[in-house]
Amino acid sequence: MSDLLLEMRGICKSFPGVRALDEVYFNVLRNEIVGLVGENGAGKTTLMRILCGIHRPDQGEIVLEGKKVSFKNPRDAREHGISMVFQEQSILPNLTVAENLFLGYEGFFSQRGIFSKRKILAKAKEILEEFGLTFDPDVPVHRLSFAERQMLEIARNIWSAQASSVRTPILILDEPTTFLEEKEIELFFAKLKEIRERASIVYISHRLSEVVSLCDRIYVLKDGKNAGVFDRAEASEELLRSRMVGRKFEGEYYLTDMQGRPRDEVLLEVRNCTKRGKFYNVSFQVAKGEVVSICGAVGSGKEEVCQMLFGLLKPDEGDILVEGRKVIINSPEEAVALGIGFIPEDRRSEGLVLNLPVVENVTLPILEGLRKGAFVDSQKQMEIAEKMIHRLNIKTPSPRTPCANLSGGNQQKVVLSKWLVSRVKVLVMLHPTRGIDVGAKQEIYRLIRDLSKQGIGMIILGDSFEEDIGLAHKILVMKDGRVQAVLDATESKPTPADVLQYVV
Ligand SMILES: Nc1ncnc2c1ncn2[C@@H]1O[C@H](COP(=O)(O)OP(=O)(O)OP(=O)(O)O)[C@@H](O)[C@H]1O
Ligand SMILES: [Mg+2]
């Protein structure tokens, strides 16, 4: 078969306490987009880290264009044309676009005797144009948006593979749309389809609808083992989902008829709040047990309103009231003292202490309450952590494993559990299901319903309009810093189109 580019055969990999990969096979054909899906902790990232030289397999072999290879490090893999685009991004923000593009490939220019900055910029411009990117190669990268930086990283990876004379580079994308807005995603997909003409792409995502529409073939992993490979024609979300979890999904996703109703008491009120340049004259209430979603595009001000509630941003005007009392929130500590919890968007850096074990992270917000004299009641602490691990189905070899060793989605569950153990009255959640697999998503939806029934008020920025509508009792739509509409979602649910008309 001439179009077989890469084979991974019988790959095994264990970490202390976990068998992450068990005899996994995985092929990549020339010029295809191949999907890789599976529940949190299924082994997707580990398999790709082996492919790009970060981890060594315990067993198994990698065959590239018919030749057995073994990569010593990412640089070695890169020279064979294989590279991964990281969520954390490996772009250096203080360097310019051109400097980032050629980082580590300065030799390319000196070999050709090119030292002038003008020529380097011209080459950078040429490469950017090939990828349909219009930004100036001489600006520092921190001026670019997240989406632009991501495209720059992709362009760099493919360019550098071609500079090493690789015919078909393999580009690995691990949940690349996580931080993109819906409009950016469309553009991104169009770009990927162009890139397919000159490269092969491995595409990891929890968003099955994306995978089904984008990928030519799709591999499913389950508990570190192969659980099927499907051609585009036969793959459906339903099929993938059932292979991922090993059972069929039943019932409606959001179970809206099981949703509780908000009570009359108002927990939190935002009254005519303005932060100049961010949002203006925003007012709304959150009642006991009420779930309020805020919808809006980038720049609508929805993120900033949430930050204000957690003391990360101070309003210029207006009042915040908690249970009828005016409050001033100067810091996250003060927000927590008032009973306001916050699940940030960037969980890895803001939500977790990665080198601390799961048990410590889970109980961090209630540590004071667990003190017995000078010591922490470690037995109680362990009990609480074990309960949360069970309840959220957090995959970890032990409660004592550092969070850094958990898969991305499982780290996210730890962040959620932190707030569930503390006694919050109001919980502000930015994208609580981002990067979480379908099974865990349903678990989180169930938790949100449970919390609502317990009388906790919630403010949510969902990952899609469907999610906002499905979970919320009330939807606030913001545009350019102002509230455009407040839609009821308790008596009957609006449609995504109902929401969209106020967003754009
Ligand atoms: N560096 C590491 N040290 C120890 N265990 C690890 C390490 N990296 C991954 N693991 C474990 O290996 C298993 C597979 O993790 P992996 O990150 O590959 O999952 P994943 O499919 O990418 O999940 P997610 O969708 O949540 O990102 C998990 O049980 C994880 O805890
Ligand atoms: Mg992963």
Side-chain angles (χ1 to χ4, degrees):
M1 256 194 5
S2 64
D3 58 353
L4 179 62
L5 179 59
L6 171 103
E7 283 177 86
M8 296 181 85
R9 297 182 187 146
I11 303 289
C12 297
K13 177 78 188 173
S14 292
F15 296 110
V18 220
R19 179 135 201 177
L21 296 172
D22 189 0
E23 301 259 342
V24 171
Y25 61 87
F26 182 81
N27 292 348
V28 179
L29 310 183
R30 234 179 256 286
N31 304 105
E32 72 165 349
I33 303 180
V34 53
L36 180 56
V37 302
E39 286 190 296
N40 295 135
K44 306 179 292 294
T45 301
T46 304
L47 185 67
M48 289 304 118
R49 282 189 178 150
I50 288 175
L51 182 54
C52 72
I54 298 174
H55 292 320
R56 291 300 195 84
D58 301 335
Q59 257 184 63
E61 53 185 34
I62 303 176
V63 180
L64 181 64
E65 306 218 54
K67 282 201 274 304
K68 228 178 113 171
V69 288
S70 145
F71 303 129
K72 289 191 286 292
N73 51 44
R75 169 104 206 179
D76 192 13
R78 193 174 280 262
E79 276 161 11
H80 286 81
I82 299 174
S83 63
M84 189 152 165
V85 171
F86 295 96
Q87 246 168 37
E88 295 80 18
Q89 293 192 330
S90 65
I91 293 279
L92 302 175
N94 292 324
L95 298 185
T96 66
V97 168
E99 285 164 341
N100 268 289
L101 205 47
F102 302 130
L103 201 65
Y105 286 86
E106 292 81 4
F108 174 82
F109 290 97
S110 53
Q111 277 162 23
R112 287 169 179 70
I114 304 174
F115 296 103
S116 91
K117 189 178 172 196
R118 196 173 51 84
K119 285 197 179 145
I120 291 176
L121 286 179
K123 179 71 188 168
K125 199 158 173 46
E126 184 191 313
I127 293 169
L128 293 177
E129 271 165 13
E130 271 176 43
F131 287 88
L133 304 174
T134 52
F135 38 81
D136 179 356
D138 206 20
V139 298
V141 159
H142 65 75
R143 296 236 209 104
L144 305 184
S145 70
F146 183 91
E148 288 171 330
R149 290 202 301 262
Q150 184 160 285
M151 274 312 300
L152 174 63
E153 193 168 352
I154 291 173
R156 179 185 66 187
N157 288 5
I158 292 184
W159 175 82
S160 66
Q162 286 168 343
S164 308
S165 308
V166 170
R167 188 174 136 212
T168 314
I170 298 178
L171 183 69
I172 304 164
L173 303 172
D174 196 349
E175 300 187 42
T177 57
T178 307
F179 298 106
L180 301 185
E181 298 290 328
E182 293 204 23
K183 269 206 216 112
E184 296 172 325
I185 292 179
E186 266 173 48
L187 199 70
F188 181 64
F189 283 1
K191 291 248 155 72
L192 290 187
K193 285 179 188 157
E194 284 171 30
I195 290 171
R196 174 170 54 187
E197 303 295 313
R198 54 203 285 196
S200 295
I201 299 173
V202 180
Y203 190 86
I204 301 180
S205 177
H206 288 293
R207 298 180 178 172
L208 299 181
S209 58
E210 289 180 359
V211 173
V212 170
S213 72
L214 184 71
C215 298
D216 301 303
R217 284 184 319 129
I218 302 157
Y219 280 86
V220 184
L221 285 187
K222 177 171 163 50
D223 299 330
K225 296 192 180 78
N226 284 97
V229 49
F230 304 99
D231 277 329
R232 183 193 182 80
E234 54 181 333
S236 69
E237 285 183 57
E238 172 77 16
L239 175 67
L240 296 180
R241 215 174 276 144
S242 68
R243 288 304 175 101
M244 282 167 65
V245 298
R247 63 188 138 84
K248 267 207 157 164
F249 263 87
E250 290 145 23
E252 193 210 341
Y253 219 45
Y254 299 104
L255 303 170
T256 42
D257 47 343
M258 283 169 65
Q259 196 167 33
R261 297 181 73 89
R263 309 184 199 164
D264 292 334
E265 292 150 80
V266 174
L267 272 178
L268 176 86
E269 180 171 358
V270 171
R271 214 182 258 173
N272 300 323
C273 281
T274 292
K275 173 76 186 177
R276 279 185 286 278
K278 305 285 188 198
F279 55 82
Y280 300 88
N281 219 10
V282 171
S283 297
F284 64 93
Q285 297 182 335
V286 184
K288 261 195 158 176
E290 186 173 35
V291 181
V292 178
S293 281
I294 312 182
C295 294
V298 199
S300 64
K302 58 179 182 178
E303 257 99 17
E304 287 84 355
V305 169
C306 294
Q307 286 167 0
M308 167 181 77
L309 293 174
F310 206 55
L312 295 170
L313 186 149
K314 263 183 244 160
D316 301 321
E317 281 161 42
D319 295 313
I320 301 171
L321 292 85
V322 174
E323 294 179 315
R325 250 180 348 109
K326 263 191 207 174
V327 296
I328 295 194
I329 310 172
N330 287 311
S331 65
E333 291 72 31
E334 291 185 23
V336 173
L338 289 164
I340 302 175
F342 187 72
I343 295 178
E345 185 155 20
D346 184 0
R347 298 178 184 82
R348 279 182 68 93
S349 65
E350 294 173 28
L352 285 178
V353 188
L354 282 174
N355 53 8
L356 282 187
V358 174
V359 47
E360 307 243 347
N361 270 290
V362 170
T363 53
L364 215 50
I366 52 163
L367 218 49
E368 280 310 309
L370 287 173
R371 260 184 224 291
K372 265 202 218 152
F375 299 99
V376 172
D377 182 346
S378 53
Q379 198 184 337
K380 186 86 193 288
Q381 190 183 21
M382 190 53 92
E383 271 170 29
I384 293 172
E386 277 173 347
K387 212 161 94 191
M388 289 315 300
I389 289 170
H390 178 71
R391 191 163 160 205
L392 286 182
N393 193 16
I394 299 174
K395 244 195 210 166
T396 174
S398 124
R400 299 195 194 284
T401 304
C403 278
N405 292 358
L406 266 52
S407 79
N410 282 298
Q411 289 178 353
Q412 218 151 306
K413 294 189 203 174
V414 174
V415 178
L416 263 173
S417 70
K418 266 176 58 176
W419 294 111
L420 300 179
V421 302
S422 65
R423 291 210 183 81
V424 288
K425 292 178 195 145
V426 180
L427 199 50
V428 182
M429 307 193 219
L430 307 193
H431 308 288
T433 62
R434 207 165 251 191
I436 287 188
D437 67 54
V438 277
K441 237 181 214 174
Q442 295 206 326
E443 196 56 36
I444 285 168
Y445 294 153
R446 190 173 65 79
L447 271 162
I448 290 174
R449 287 195 302 274
D450 286 355
L451 292 171
S452 153
K453 284 177 192 156
Q454 289 165 28
I456 292 175
M458 279 162 277
I459 298 170
I460 293 187
L461 306 190
D463 240 11
S464 63
F465 290 156
E466 284 80 5
E467 191 171 284
D468 284 310
I469 295 165
L471 295 172
H473 296 107
K474 180 163 87 194
I475 299 170
L476 227 63
V477 190
M478 289 184 68
K479 184 186 163 190
D480 299 332
R482 295 176 199 276
V483 177
Q484 297 291 317
V486 180
L487 307 174
D488 170 66
T490 313
E491 300 303 329
S492 69
K493 295 281 180 190
T495 66
D498 295 335
V499 177
L500 190 69
Q501 62 175 324
Y502 298 105
V503 168
V504 289

XYZ file of all heavy atoms in Angstrom, residues 254-322:
532
model
N -29.359 16.519 28.318
C -29.449 17.472 29.430
C -30.536 17.124 30.445
O -30.631 17.733 31.490
C -29.702 18.880 28.896
C -28.587 19.339 28.007
C -28.734 19.360 26.636
C -27.372 19.718 28.563
C -27.684 19.761 25.823
C -26.322 20.123 27.756
C -26.487 20.139 26.389
O -25.455 20.521 25.593
N -31.389 16.147 30.118
C -32.443 15.707 31.030
C -33.187 16.889 31.639
O -33.291 17.008 32.852
C -31.850 14.835 32.141
C -31.089 13.604 31.640
C -30.351 12.942 32.781
C -32.042 12.610 30.982
N -33.654 17.766 30.759
C -34.218 19.021 31.254
C -35.462 18.817 32.116
O -35.775 19.652 32.949
C -34.565 19.965 30.090
O -35.175 19.199 29.064
C -33.322 20.614 29.551
N -36.147 17.691 31.922
C -37.333 17.507 32.777
C -36.937 17.116 34.200
O -37.763 17.122 35.103
C -38.325 16.498 32.166
C -37.620 15.239 31.696
O -36.375 15.282 31.544
O -38.294 14.221 31.491
N -35.648 16.805 34.399
C -35.196 16.532 35.758
C -34.594 17.761 36.427
O -34.138 17.711 37.558
C -34.158 15.412 35.757
C -34.790 14.046 35.580
S -33.543 12.816 35.258
C -32.655 12.861 36.814
N -34.594 18.847 35.680
C -34.021 20.075 36.202
C -34.911 20.617 37.324
O -36.125 20.667 37.189
C -33.998 21.078 35.045
C -33.123 22.259 35.229
C -32.939 23.001 33.894
O -33.825 23.046 33.050
N -31.776 23.582 33.723
N -34.281 21.028 38.443
C -35.062 21.637 39.523
C -35.484 23.050 39.149
O -35.080 23.563 38.107
N -36.294 23.653 40.001
C -36.690 25.035 39.720
C -35.991 25.961 40.699
O -35.781 25.604 41.847
C -38.206 25.186 39.864
C -38.966 24.346 38.854
C -40.451 24.547 39.035
N -40.888 25.848 38.551
C -41.271 26.069 37.299
N -41.266 25.100 36.425
N -41.669 27.264 36.926
N -35.654 27.171 40.222
C -35.044 28.113 41.156
C -36.034 28.529 42.246
O -37.249 28.462 42.032
C -34.685 29.308 40.278
C -35.423 29.136 39.014
C -35.762 27.706 38.864
N -35.516 28.915 43.392
C -36.407 29.358 44.484
C -36.548 30.879 44.447
O -35.971 31.531 43.594
C -35.834 28.892 45.807
C -35.536 27.414 45.728
C -35.050 26.833 47.005
N -34.390 25.563 46.687
C -33.582 24.933 47.517
N -33.316 25.449 48.702
N -33.039 23.797 47.164
N -37.316 31.400 45.395
C -37.584 32.841 45.341
C -36.461 33.701 45.902
O -36.250 34.817 45.455
C -38.891 33.163 46.092
C -40.089 32.594 45.341
O -39.966 32.446 44.108
O -41.102 32.273 45.971
N -35.739 33.157 46.897
C -34.717 33.996 47.543
C -33.594 34.348 46.573
O -33.033 33.460 45.934
C -34.055 33.235 48.695
C -34.938 32.962 49.859
C -34.480 31.677 50.515
O -33.498 31.741 51.267
O -35.088 30.626 50.246
N -33.244 35.614 46.541
C -32.125 36.036 45.693
C -30.814 35.871 46.455
O -30.676 36.314 47.585
C -32.299 37.512 45.265
C -31.065 37.988 44.501
C -33.539 37.653 44.404
N -29.860 35.196 45.827
C -28.563 34.982 46.470
C -27.588 36.091 46.120
O -26.895 36.626 46.954
C -27.944 33.677 45.949
C -28.274 32.383 46.639
C -27.571 31.255 45.900
C -27.820 32.421 48.085
N -27.553 36.367 44.827
C -26.558 37.315 44.328
C -27.236 38.304 43.401
O -28.086 37.921 42.594
C -25.488 36.539 43.535
C -24.425 37.402 42.878
C -23.309 37.688 43.858
C -23.848 36.703 41.649
N -26.864 39.567 43.568
C -27.414 40.551 42.644
C -26.293 41.443 42.125
O -25.461 41.926 42.898
C -28.479 41.405 43.339
C -29.055 42.432 42.386
C -30.276 43.172 42.921
O -30.709 42.870 44.041
O -30.758 44.061 42.194
N -26.285 41.650 40.821
C -25.366 42.593 40.193
C -26.234 43.751 39.741
O -27.219 43.553 39.025
C -24.653 41.926 38.993
C -23.870 42.954 38.193
C -23.737 40.811 39.468
N -25.889 44.965 40.238
C -26.779 46.094 39.983
C -26.030 47.196 39.251
O -25.119 47.785 39.794
C -27.248 46.625 41.344
C -28.658 47.163 41.322
C -29.006 47.715 42.677
N -29.845 46.808 43.468
C -30.155 47.037 44.741
N -29.669 48.080 45.393
N -30.938 46.197 45.393
N -26.404 47.420 38.007
C -25.846 48.521 37.194
C -24.319 48.589 37.223
O -23.747 49.656 37.405
C -26.393 49.873 37.670
C -27.899 49.919 37.558
O -28.464 49.377 36.609
N -28.550 50.511 38.527
N -23.677 47.476 37.062
C -22.217 47.475 37.140
C -21.569 47.843 35.804
O -21.989 47.362 34.743
C -21.700 46.108 37.593
S -21.866 45.903 39.375
N -20.565 48.681 35.896
C -19.827 49.108 34.713
C -18.337 48.966 34.974
O -17.875 49.322 36.061
C -20.133 50.594 34.399
O -21.496 50.698 33.977
C -19.225 51.129 33.292
N -17.620 48.414 34.020
C -16.161 48.482 34.037
C -15.810 49.046 32.686
O -15.966 48.367 31.649
C -15.558 47.085 34.234
C -14.055 47.052 34.099
C -13.414 47.619 35.331
C -11.909 47.726 35.174
N -11.294 48.351 36.364
N -15.387 50.279 32.665
C -15.210 50.965 31.385
C -14.251 50.204 30.470
O -13.219 49.705 30.909
C -14.734 52.398 31.615
C -15.909 53.312 31.972
C -15.471 54.768 32.087
N -14.718 55.014 33.307
C -15.290 55.235 34.508
N -16.614 55.229 34.624
N -14.546 55.450 35.567
N -14.655 50.109 29.211
C -13.852 49.370 28.242
C -14.162 47.874 28.230
O -13.757 47.172 27.324
N -14.895 47.404 29.257
C -15.175 45.966 29.337
C -16.682 45.682 29.294
O -17.153 44.924 28.467
C -14.613 45.373 30.635
C -13.143 45.622 30.853
C -12.304 44.732 29.958
C -10.837 44.860 30.328
N -9.967 44.379 29.293
N -17.427 46.291 30.219
C -18.885 46.110 30.210
C -19.583 47.310 30.848
O -18.959 48.063 31.606
C -19.290 44.801 30.902
C -18.774 44.651 32.311
C -19.429 45.238 33.390
C -17.635 43.891 32.558
C -18.944 45.088 34.682
C -17.143 43.741 33.853
C -17.802 44.344 34.927
N -20.857 47.472 30.489
C -21.579 48.668 30.889
C -22.954 48.315 31.435
O -23.713 47.557 30.827
C -21.745 49.598 29.683
C -20.409 50.028 29.122
C -19.763 49.248 28.157
C -19.767 51.176 29.593
C -18.519 49.614 27.665
C -18.520 51.542 29.108
C -17.898 50.760 28.145
O -16.662 51.107 27.661
N -23.251 48.889 32.613
C -24.614 48.856 33.128
C -25.216 47.447 33.169
O -26.349 47.245 32.762
C -25.477 49.743 32.230
C -26.468 50.506 33.071
O -26.367 50.508 34.313
N -27.441 51.117 32.437
N -24.458 46.513 33.647
C -24.926 45.127 33.692
C -25.694 44.882 34.989
O -25.207 45.212 36.074
C -23.736 44.144 33.606
C -24.187 42.712 33.864
C -23.053 44.263 32.253
N -26.897 44.345 34.877
C -27.709 44.005 36.048
C -28.309 42.622 35.868
O -28.795 42.297 34.783
C -28.870 44.988 36.226
O -28.416 46.278 36.456
N -28.254 41.817 36.896
C -28.997 40.553 36.897
C -28.989 39.974 38.302
O -28.238 40.429 39.172
C -28.413 39.548 35.888
C -27.000 39.102 36.194
C -26.760 37.942 36.937
C -25.907 39.827 35.726
C -25.456 37.526 37.202
C -24.600 39.413 35.992
C -24.382 38.269 36.736
N -29.873 39.005 38.509
C -29.952 38.349 39.815
C -29.770 36.848 39.647
O -30.137 36.291 38.622
C -31.334 38.584 40.427
C -31.634 40.047 40.705
C -32.987 40.218 41.340
O -33.877 39.386 41.182
N -33.150 41.313 42.081
N -29.229 36.240 40.685
C -29.155 34.778 40.710
C -29.879 34.322 41.972
O -29.501 34.707 43.081
C -27.698 34.281 40.759
C -27.655 32.765 40.697
C -26.875 34.883 39.627
N -30.927 33.524 41.793
C -31.696 33.058 42.948
C -31.113 31.752 43.466
O -30.278 31.119 42.807
C -33.153 32.865 42.548
N -31.559 31.348 44.628
C -31.160 30.045 45.156
C -31.519 28.961 44.165
O -32.652 28.920 43.673
C -31.918 29.778 46.462
C -31.119 30.065 47.692
C -31.770 29.451 48.910
C -30.716 29.277 49.985
N -31.266 28.784 51.234
N -30.585 28.106 43.852
C -30.875 26.998 42.949
C -30.988 27.386 41.492
O -31.342 26.568 40.654
N -30.674 28.617 41.178
C -30.840 29.052 39.789
C -29.526 28.930 39.015
O -28.467 29.245 39.529
C -31.317 30.507 39.742
C -31.647 30.967 38.325
C -32.271 32.351 38.273
O -31.902 33.222 39.080
O -33.133 32.567 37.411
N -29.642 28.473 37.773
C -28.478 28.414 36.889
C -28.645 29.503 35.833
O -29.611 29.488 35.076
C -28.367 27.039 36.196
C -27.119 26.988 35.303
C -28.337 25.907 37.219
N -27.725 30.452 35.837
C -27.781 31.545 34.873
C -26.615 31.385 33.900
O -25.466 31.286 34.318
C -27.649 32.915 35.594
C -27.650 34.056 34.582
C -28.756 33.092 36.618
N -26.924 31.323 32.603
C -25.847 31.261 31.599
C -25.640 32.634 31.016
O -26.612 33.349 30.785
C -26.245 30.374 30.433
O -26.108 29.061 30.752
N -24.417 32.981 30.753
C -24.164 34.208 30.004
C -23.598 33.811 28.649
O -22.593 33.121 28.568
C -23.181 35.146 30.733
C -23.571 35.315 32.204
C -23.151 36.501 30.036
C -22.667 36.270 32.996
N -24.302 34.217 27.581
C -23.843 33.913 26.224
C -23.310 35.192 25.593
O -23.761 36.281 25.926
C -24.993 33.419 25.353
S -25.659 31.850 25.876
N -22.395 35.032 24.661
C -21.869 36.198 23.961
C -20.584 35.815 23.249
O -19.957 34.823 23.598
N -20.205 36.607 22.267
C -18.987 36.314 21.499
C -17.759 36.840 22.240
O -17.893 37.400 23.320
C -19.093 36.957 20.121
N -16.588 36.659 21.634
C -15.366 37.226 22.230
C -15.551 38.740 22.311
O -16.049 39.348 21.387
C -14.131 36.999 21.316
C -12.856 37.139 22.106
C -14.225 35.690 20.607
N -15.160 39.329 23.414
C -15.293 40.778 23.547
C -16.663 41.220 24.015
O -16.938 42.408 24.109
N -17.556 40.255 24.312
C -18.887 40.639 24.771
C -18.843 41.128 26.211
O -19.745 41.795 26.680
C -19.841 39.450 24.661
O -19.407 38.412 25.528
N -17.799 40.777 26.931
C -17.690 41.195 28.331
C -18.122 40.129 29.314
O -18.037 40.315 30.527
N -18.563 38.959 28.817
C -19.076 37.934 29.735
C -17.991 37.408 30.677
O -18.241 37.232 31.874
C -19.734 36.785 28.968
C -18.816 36.096 27.986
C -19.516 34.939 27.268
C -18.520 34.275 26.335
N -19.043 33.139 25.625
N -16.772 37.228 30.168
C -15.681 36.746 31.025
C -15.373 37.757 32.125
O -15.170 37.400 33.276
C -14.396 36.525 30.204
C -14.116 35.079 29.902
C -14.554 34.687 28.511
O -14.767 35.599 27.681
O -14.704 33.479 28.248
N -15.359 39.029 31.744
C -15.012 40.072 32.704
C -16.061 40.192 33.804
O -15.732 40.456 34.952
C -14.850 41.415 31.982
C -13.567 41.502 31.151
C -13.691 40.894 29.758
O -14.754 40.314 29.440
O -12.721 41.004 28.978
N -17.337 40.016 33.450
C -18.380 40.053 34.483
C -18.103 38.955 35.506
O -18.189 39.164 36.720
C -19.788 39.886 33.862
C -20.838 39.643 34.931
C -20.145 41.113 33.030
N -17.719 37.788 35.019
C -17.417 36.681 35.933
C -16.191 36.996 36.787
O -16.169 36.725 37.989
C -17.179 35.391 35.152
S -18.656 34.808 34.325
N -15.192 37.589 36.172
C -13.982 37.940 36.933
C -14.299 38.930 38.040
O -13.755 38.847 39.144
C -12.922 38.534 36.001
C -12.279 37.478 35.124
C -11.472 38.075 33.984
O -11.388 39.298 33.845
N -10.911 37.229 33.147
N -15.210 39.843 37.758
C -15.604 40.828 38.770
C -16.178 40.120 39.995
O -15.893 40.484 41.134
C -16.645 41.775 38.177
C -17.358 42.647 39.204
S -18.578 43.717 38.437
C -19.925 42.566 38.130
N -16.969 39.091 39.754
C -17.610 38.404 40.874
C -16.597 37.665 41.733
O -16.883 37.292 42.857
C -18.656 37.409 40.350
C -19.839 38.070 39.674
C -20.747 37.029 39.057
C -20.603 38.938 40.658
N -15.419 37.459 41.186
C -14.413 36.750 41.965
C -13.284 37.684 42.410
O -12.212 37.244 42.782
C -13.858 35.578 41.153
C -13.339 34.479 42.025
C -14.151 33.906 42.986
C -12.043 34.032 41.906
C -13.680 32.897 43.812
C -11.557 33.020 42.733
C -12.372 32.456 43.691
N -13.549 38.981 42.347
C -12.576 39.934 42.867
C -11.342 40.091 42.007
O -10.337 40.637 42.452
N -11.412 39.640 40.756
C -10.243 39.763 39.884
C -10.289 41.059 39.087
O -9.332 41.405 38.406
C -10.179 38.567 38.924
C -9.955 37.207 39.591
C -10.144 36.074 38.595
C -8.562 37.145 40.199
N -11.411 41.735 39.154
C -11.587 42.959 38.377
C -12.599 43.805 39.149
O -13.641 43.289 39.567
C -12.115 42.529 37.015
C -12.300 43.486 35.880
C -12.076 42.707 34.583
C -13.686 44.052 35.879
N -12.271 45.069 39.381
C -13.187 45.910 40.183
C -14.056 46.782 39.306
O -13.547 47.420 38.388
C -12.368 46.773 41.143
C -12.301 46.143 42.520
C -11.552 47.013 43.484
C -10.306 46.277 43.927
N -9.273 47.111 44.472
N -15.352 46.835 39.560
C -16.216 47.693 38.732
C -15.943 49.168 39.025
O -15.583 49.510 40.143
C -17.629 47.296 39.167
C -17.477 46.752 40.545
C -16.102 46.147 40.621
N -16.098 50.014 38.001
C -15.987 51.458 38.226
C -17.247 51.974 38.894
O -17.212 52.921 39.661
C -15.805 52.180 36.881
C -14.574 51.696 36.141
O -13.549 51.464 36.799
O -14.654 51.515 34.911
N -18.357 51.387 38.529
C -19.634 51.824 39.079
C -20.508 50.610 39.333
O -20.309 49.563 38.737
C -20.385 52.691 38.058
C -19.898 54.108 37.968
C -20.359 54.734 36.659
O -21.537 54.509 36.281
O -19.534 55.400 36.010
N -21.512 50.792 40.184
C -22.496 49.738 40.413
C -22.232 48.964 41.686
O -21.195 49.153 42.343
N -23.184 48.098 42.046
C -23.106 47.359 43.294
C -23.239 45.861 43.081
O -23.894 45.411 42.144
C -24.249 47.789 44.237
C -24.097 49.238 44.654
O -22.982 49.630 45.037
O -25.102 49.978 44.559
N -22.614 45.124 44.001
C -22.825 43.682 44.067
C -23.436 43.379 45.428
O -22.949 43.890 46.448
C -21.489 42.925 43.912
C -20.842 43.279 42.572
C -21.709 41.419 44.009
C -19.423 42.740 42.432
N -24.496 42.603 45.443
C -25.142 42.253 46.701
C -25.143 40.744 46.877
O -25.488 40.001 45.950
C -26.593 42.753 46.736
C -26.808 44.273 46.791
C -26.776 44.870 45.398
C -28.122 44.587 47.474
N -24.747 40.282 48.068
C -24.833 38.864 48.383
C -25.866 38.716 49.487
O -25.754 39.358 50.536
C -23.470 38.301 48.832
C -23.609 36.854 49.288
C -22.447 38.397 47.696
